[in-house]
Amino acid sequence: MILDRLGEQWTVMTLAELATGPRRYRELERALQGISQRMMTLTLRRLERDGHVLRHVEPTIPPSVTYELSPLGQSFASQVAALVAWSRQSKTQIEAARTAFDAKPRQT
């Protein structure tokens, strides 16, 4: 169950963003470039359901919604941080390896 959640791209990226502190919905949406509104909502709901994210609604017009990591979410995010850092550091090497692999003729 936990590994399934960890395997979701937007979960890891959302945790990384929220690790810097509470964020409003639109701030998260801007930070997570490429995420659809539907996927953003689903990801936040899943994280909230699992106890990783706390959702705060302020009774303003329109309502102001802020998300932050719970203590459980902070613990999870600290474990994920190394994976996020590695991914960012290795992106160029992985892309180069893929390009080299794709350029090789296929042997059947």
Side-chain angles (χ1 to χ4, degrees):
M1 174 178 68
I2 301 301
L3 293 176
D4 285 343
R5 188 69 68 231
L6 181 59
E8 297 170 356
Q9 169 192 4
W10 296 114
T11 295
V12 172
M13 295 174 74
T14 301
L15 287 170
E17 286 299 322
L18 289 174
T20 63
R23 304 288 286 274
R24 296 197 45 199
Y25 184 91
R26 293 291 177 217
E27 291 175 313
L28 275 173
E29 191 174 42
R30 280 190 297 272
L32 300 172
Q33 296 179 356
I35 192 170
S36 69
Q37 188 173 3
R38 180 178 183 280
M39 184 53 67
M40 175 84 163
T41 299
L42 286 173
T43 300
L44 288 168
R45 282 187 185 155
R46 288 176 185 150
L47 288 170
E48 185 180 8
R49 181 174 183 253
D50 289 348
H52 300 299
V53 168
L54 302 173
R55 182 178 184 263
H56 303 284
V57 180
E58 296 185 31
T60 58
I61 299 176
S64 175
V65 180
T66 304
Y67 295 90
E68 68 177 314
L69 293 178
S70 67
L72 180 64
Q74 290 172 357
S75 173
F76 190 27
S78 70
Q79 299 301 312
V80 171
L83 177 61
V84 170
W86 178 86
S87 298
R88 288 179 177 152
Q89 292 169 356
S90 303
K91 181 180 178 187
T92 303
Q93 290 175 308
I94 293 169
E95 288 172 344
R98 287 178 177 176
T99 299
F101 180 87
D102 293 344
K104 290 181 184 176
R106 295 273 184 236
Q107 296 179 2
T108 54

